[in-house]
Amino acid sequence: MLSPQERERKKGVFAKALRSGGSAETSRYLDLYATFSQLGYTRDLAEEYADVFVNDQKKPLAEDILQTAELFDRIRDYGSAEFYLEMLKDKKLSNEDKFIYCIQMLKNKSKQGHWRDAVDFRTENINFMQNYSGKVGMKQLADMYIALALVDCASKKYMQAFKLLMGFGYKPQGRNDVKLLEILITGIYICSKTGNQESIDNAVENAHGAMKLCTEYEHPWLKSYYEKRIEDAAQGTI
């Protein structure tokens, strides 16, 4: 979930209200973010966020729709995530929002096993994603390769997916790099689909090794969250 500061960067109206302490909408966002900071990703959070910032708005912001889809994705309600992503299908988006939309769509289609749709979507948007990620930074590049690897995995091209994910040259961003954990957890998931227990065990060991490098997490629940993600990925769930 976007921090209030990140949301401030993306939404000028929110930023002004945040600085002045005004607006009921701003207050609701801060309350929801406080809940997220304490409890993490929950259905209650996803549903309340959807109601406040999308369902009850005449013209919801693209970033709120994207965040709603992300919240449902994190609790593995892929049908609801898809519903909200479809709201943006024919909308004109900023490059930043379009990139996030493309990544979420690829992951959503792949996780649901809609590999043909995922491949077609990849073909339509790959040039934009490559150009954008190449300009903005390593984390966006990682997001793209995670999504692309999931497409190959859904297409049962497991070796290709694993090589793509591990071969693009990600450079860890310090000791507490959760993006590295996301990459390694995706690698565990791909290995689980091959059924090769040795490769699964090695991938799990690598992820646990990366977790040992983390000395602090942004939220208190994140350590157990990633431990559960590692366990689930080894069992074929992401």
Side-chain angles (χ1 to χ4, degrees):
M1 186 171 175
L2 290 176
S3 69
Q5 292 74 25
E6 179 67 6
R7 188 173 168 82
E8 178 178 351
R9 179 185 69 80
K10 296 195 69 174
K11 183 172 181 276
V13 174
F14 180 88
K16 185 177 180 180
L18 182 63
R19 287 192 293 269
S20 65
S23 149
E25 183 179 312
T26 301
S27 179
R28 292 296 299 277
Y29 189 89
L30 293 173
D31 287 344
L32 284 174
Y33 189 78
T35 299
F36 167 73
S37 296
Q38 284 188 316
L39 302 178
Y41 299 103
T42 66
R43 178 165 295 279
D44 285 344
L45 174 67
E47 291 178 347
E48 187 172 358
Y49 192 95
D51 284 340
V52 173
F53 292 101
V54 180
N55 302 338
D56 294 341
Q57 300 291 326
K58 290 183 179 180
K59 294 182 178 181
L61 297 172
E63 54 260 38
D64 283 327
I65 297 173
L66 290 168
Q67 184 150 264
T68 298
E70 173 72 10
L71 292 174
F72 278 110
D73 175 80
R74 291 287 186 167
I75 62 170
R76 296 177 182 146
D77 185 346
Y78 303 128
S80 293
E82 181 181 24
F83 171 81
Y84 287 101
L85 288 173
E86 286 293 322
M87 290 183 178
L88 298 173
K89 185 175 182 180
D90 299 314
K91 299 290 185 181
K92 183 175 178 60
L93 304 172
S94 68
N95 284 343
E96 181 180 4
D97 286 339
K98 182 178 178 180
F99 180 77
I100 296 169
Y101 166 76
C102 288
I103 296 303
Q104 288 194 15
M105 284 293 282
L106 284 177
K107 291 166 67 175
N108 184 267
K109 292 176 184 296
S110 299
K111 290 176 182 181
Q112 293 188 88
H114 302 159
W115 67 271
R116 289 185 185 275
D117 291 339
V119 169
D120 290 342
F121 189 90
R122 178 182 63 188
T123 300
E124 293 170 9
N125 295 281
I126 187 64
N127 288 338
F128 165 77
M129 290 189 293
Q130 288 177 329
N131 289 335
Y132 181 82
S133 62
K135 293 175 181 177
V136 291
M138 184 60 70
K139 289 187 177 181
Q140 288 80 5
L141 196 66
D143 288 337
M144 182 182 72
Y145 277 100
I146 288 171
L148 295 177
L150 288 174
V151 174
D152 282 340
C153 186
S155 305
K156 299 184 178 181
K157 298 177 180 178
Y158 305 125
M159 186 59 67
Q160 181 174 315
F162 193 81
K163 287 182 177 179
L164 186 69
L165 183 67
M166 299 300 174
F168 74 95
Y170 183 75
K171 297 178 182 178
Q173 311 294 298
R175 291 179 60 86
N176 303 304
D177 186 1
V178 294
K179 188 65 69 177
L180 176 61
L181 288 178
E182 294 285 350
I183 294 170
L184 295 174
I185 288 168
T186 305
I188 297 170
Y189 172 74
I190 294 169
C191 290
S192 75
K193 293 301 181 180
T194 70
N196 186 312
Q197 191 59 50
E198 183 177 357
S199 67
I200 296 170
D201 292 342
N202 288 336
V204 168
E205 183 178 352
N206 287 337
H208 281 144
M211 284 200 68
K212 291 178 181 178
L213 296 176
C214 292
T215 56
E216 60 180 307
Y217 292 89
E218 185 177 4
H219 306 292
W221 49 268
L222 269 174
K223 183 177 181 180
S224 60
Y225 170 77
Y226 280 113
E227 287 173 344
K228 185 66 165 58
R229 288 275 307 279
I230 290 171
E231 179 183 332
D232 290 346
Q235 298 300 319
T237 301
I238 195 167

